[in-house]
Amino acid sequence: MHLRELYKNEIEQALKLVWKVFLEYEAPEYSKHGVDEFYNSIHDPNYLNRLHWYGAFLNAELVGIIATRNKGCHIALFFVDGRYHNKGIGKSLLEFIKKDSLTGNISVNSSPFAVPIYHRLGFENTDSEQITNGVRYTPMKLKLPTA
């Protein structure tokens, strides 16, 4: 597996992966309004341009992405192709971006599907599940070890 920051011309490919995985694993937990809101967010250039994108590649195929904002302190998008779940790709991507966090913490608004995954990665809930514009999420945080 090869991990690296994505090039600008790879973002469209990353977004196809995001949408595919979202439809398969997350959309079933969302209302139509929530699905539409998520779709609109991943097609909003103003939102997308604020993100730092990283990918996991197997044999030159993009199989996972993680995108952060706020100087690496918040995970905005985190998706691994379903064919590669439970193979350590998500964990590797998280480890890869930890160096970019400037605050010692990484936050995320987890979908219902991903809450147990984030718990296994060491995240803790910071609040109960919420719904904003139809999007269901649980605020979570990972405290990074200090040097």
Side-chain angles (χ1 to χ4, degrees):
M1 177 175 41
H2 178 67
L3 304 173
R4 65 171 172 77
E5 190 165 356
L6 295 179
Y7 302 117
K8 199 163 193 76
N9 66 346
E10 294 173 313
I11 303 303
E12 186 175 331
Q13 179 186 5
L15 289 170
K16 287 179 183 177
L17 174 65
V18 166
W19 185 240
K20 174 186 167 233
V21 175
F22 175 83
L23 287 176
E24 187 172 354
Y25 295 97
E26 298 185 23
E29 300 286 331
Y30 282 55
S31 66
K32 179 177 179 347
H33 178 64
V35 171
D36 291 344
E37 183 71 18
F38 183 81
Y39 180 88
N40 291 337
S41 74
I42 65 167
H43 290 86
D44 176 355
N46 292 325
Y47 173 71
L48 298 175
N49 287 334
R50 294 191 328 236
L51 303 180
H52 289 98
W53 296 81
Y54 306 88
F57 295 83
L58 287 175
N59 301 320
E61 178 188 3
L62 181 65
V63 297
I65 71 97
I66 191 166
T68 63
R69 66 176 193 249
N70 299 340
K71 299 181 181 176
C73 299
H74 183 80
I75 297 171
L77 298 168
F78 192 5
F79 292 86
V80 174
D81 187 312
R83 297 173 296 158
Y84 300 99
H85 284 181
N86 299 308
K87 298 195 183 311
I89 292 170
K91 184 176 183 178
S92 295
L93 280 166
L94 178 63
E95 290 299 318
F96 191 73
I97 62 107
K98 282 181 178 179
K99 68 187 180 320
D100 293 334
S101 178
L102 300 179
T103 66
N105 295 300
I106 298 176
S107 63
V108 68
N109 291 328
S110 175
S111 68
F113 173 81
V115 166
I117 297 164
Y118 281 111
H119 284 156
R120 285 195 307 270
L121 293 171
F123 283 76
E124 296 181 359
N125 297 21
T126 58
D127 205 342
S128 58
E129 183 179 278
Q130 301 174 29
I131 300 176
T132 302
N133 296 326
V135 176
R136 293 176 56 197
Y137 63 94
T138 300
M140 303 180 88
K141 186 171 277 191
L142 175 68
K143 186 167 177 53
L144 299 176
T146 53

